[in-house]
Amino acid sequence: MKRNINIGFAAFLLLASCSNNEKMLDSLADYNNAKEEKGYHFGDKIELPEEITENTESIAVSQGDKETTDLTINPKFFTLGDNNVIFIIKTKGGEVLNQDATINIFSKIKEQDIPYKIIADYPHDPKNFIEGFVVEGNTVYESDGMNNASQLIKYTLGSSAPKIVARQPAEIFSEGCTIAEDKIYQLTYRNKLGFIYDKNTLKKISEFPLPNIIGEGWGLTYDGKNLIATDGTKNLYFLDVDNPSKVVKTVCVAGSKNIYDQLNELEYHNGFIYANVWHKPVILKINPKTGDVVGKFDFTQLTKENSRGDSEHVLNGIAFKGENMLITGKNWPKIYEISFQ
């Protein structure tokens, strides 16, 4: 009889422990869900509910191959934007509980809405599914995508007729392009290749494999020292211009209230990176040293006018003509010249 009582008591303790663990995980889930939208800033503490902290021996956070017991939002462990982590909780009863969570970290710098004025427009070939766009003087260099239609073209601003066309093989899907000295660098979408051309003739000089960390080629620009690429995530990849297969550093991007991914076409100008966001009618102004979004242009109306009801005819194309910005989009019939107000 005594043995049966002991077994029953042990079963009761086990059930109580399981129930308590479930409550802790539910509490952690509620906390993380509430914090996901509000987010954190660097220097903040992850302040878990007492019903978790009072019943735990230790709490750790794991991300990739890293783990920390410091619940401070530290840039050595976390990055701007979304961080997919696992909370590892060791209870006072000896159990180990795991729970997935997303920790969003926002910039401390408020992103400003940047006013602008359209001062001119120029023709653009609406057949071109533009992926890369750069202007030097009055000459436009444009990379157009889609399999069986990819090309690199060169034309004069104000005339959409190409002076030189470098067509790609059918299996190539061209993406972003930029000028570095006397060369043009061009990415491909999923071909895991980049190409280098002579700027004057558009003759291909060489090709290079994309770094393994870059899953897809999207946007590309040049800051005078490094190439800067996007791959449809929140990341800016700084590449060695002499060896574009080498990543020099990675900078993650976020705004003060918004998490941005799908960064697309890029342009570097006067110390800032300007970035399209796929399927959003905005252009971000980004501090390339920190990843903070410091400003934003809203081109909702222009996008509506030029998309003509096709959701894939997105805003995508940024260049500069002096201090004025030039913008266009996939299959848009126009290029617009914008002055900052």
Side-chain angles (χ1 to χ4, degrees):
M1 183 68 170
K2 186 175 181 181
R3 183 170 179 272
N4 289 339
I5 292 173
N6 288 340
I7 292 173
F9 184 66
F12 171 78
L13 290 177
L14 179 61
L15 288 172
S17 175
C18 290
S19 176
N20 191 46
N21 290 347
E22 288 178 4
K23 288 180 180 178
M24 289 175 62
L25 289 175
D26 287 344
S27 178
L28 180 59
D30 290 342
Y31 172 82
N32 285 327
N33 289 336
K35 289 293 292 184
E36 189 169 333
E37 183 175 351
K38 184 178 179 182
Y40 298 88
H41 299 95
F42 287 128
D44 288 351
K45 290 277 291 184
I46 301 174
E47 297 179 346
L48 299 177
E50 286 186 1
E51 61 187 289
I52 297 174
T53 57
E54 288 179 351
N55 293 287
T56 58
E57 185 177 304
S58 65
I59 301 171
V61 179
S62 170
Q63 182 172 206
D65 58 357
K66 301 182 296 182
E67 186 174 309
T68 183
T69 57
D70 181 3
L71 297 185
T72 302
I73 302 298
N74 188 326
K76 292 182 179 179
F77 186 84
F78 297 98
T79 65
L80 278 178
D82 57 335
N83 293 256
N84 295 316
V85 304
I86 300 173
F87 280 90
I88 304 169
I89 298 173
K90 185 176 181 181
T91 71
K92 290 181 178 178
E95 296 96 346
V96 177
L97 310 178
N98 293 336
Q99 187 171 92
D100 296 341
T102 298
I103 292 179
N104 288 327
I105 300 174
F106 295 109
S107 169
K108 290 183 177 180
I109 299 173
K110 183 179 180 181
E111 54 196 81
Q112 302 293 324
D113 291 325
I114 303 175
Y116 62 88
K117 181 180 180 181
I118 300 171
I119 62 172
D121 61 66
Y122 309 93
H124 179 255
D125 191 336
K127 296 190 300 295
N128 292 350
F129 195 77
I130 188 168
E131 298 287 5
F133 183 60
V134 60
V135 174
E136 188 177 77
N138 211 37
T139 301
V140 180
Y141 299 84
E142 180 177 316
S143 175
D144 299 316
M146 302 298 282
N147 294 112
N148 293 303
S150 287
Q151 60 184 3
L152 180 66
I153 60 175
K154 179 178 179 179
Y155 58 94
T156 300
L157 184 65
S159 169
S160 59
K163 294 191 290 186
I164 305 176
V165 178
R167 301 196 186 281
Q168 309 285 15
E171 70 276 9
I172 295 296
F173 192 125
S174 297
E175 281 284 346
C177 68
T178 193
I179 295 172
E181 306 301 336
D182 59 350
K183 299 181 180 68
I184 296 177
Y185 292 74
Q186 182 189 44
L187 301 180
T188 59
Y189 180 35
R190 291 177 174 169
N191 303 98
K192 297 294 288 183
L193 287 173
F195 301 117
I196 303 174
Y197 302 85
D198 179 274
K199 183 181 71 175
N200 296 316
T201 64
L202 300 193
K203 297 291 185 184
K204 191 171 81 169
I205 299 170
S206 61
E207 60 185 54
F208 57 91
L210 295 187
N212 289 333
I213 194 173
I214 297 180
E216 299 173 348
W218 283 43
L220 190 66
T221 191
Y222 179 59
D223 66 0
K225 181 180 180 181
N226 295 304
L227 301 171
I228 306 168
T230 58
D231 65 347
T233 65
K234 66 177 181 179
N235 298 330
L236 298 171
Y237 300 98
F238 289 70
L239 310 180
D240 186 336
V241 71
D242 296 320
N243 178 15
S245 300
K246 177 183 176 183
V247 177
V248 177
K249 65 177 179 178
T250 302
V251 173
C252 300
V253 173
S256 56
K257 293 183 179 179
N258 295 292
I259 300 298
Y260 294 105
D261 61 359
Q262 298 189 318
L263 299 179
N264 204 355
E265 217 271 329
L266 303 174
E267 185 70 13
Y268 181 87
H269 182 71
N270 285 350
F272 291 94
I273 292 173
Y274 295 81
N276 287 119
V277 182
W278 191 43
H279 280 292
K280 291 188 182 296
V282 299
I283 290 176
L284 308 180
K285 182 180 180 181
I286 302 166
N287 182 331
K289 295 180 180 178
T290 63
D292 295 305
V293 176
V294 299
K296 182 170 63 177
F297 298 84
D298 186 341
F299 293 110
T300 299
Q301 188 57 42
L302 276 183
T303 301
K304 285 181 179 178
E305 292 173 7
N306 287 274
S307 63
R308 304 182 300 283
D310 191 322
S311 62
E312 294 306 313
H313 291 181
V314 296
L315 174 69
N316 197 54
I318 310 166
F320 275 85
K321 180 186 175 191
E323 293 306 307
N324 291 338
M325 180 188 287
L326 297 171
I327 66 167
T328 189
K330 297 178 189 289
N331 302 111
W332 283 24
K334 291 183 179 180
I335 297 168
Y336 296 91
E337 184 172 349
I338 307 296
S339 67
F340 300 172
Q341 299 297 292

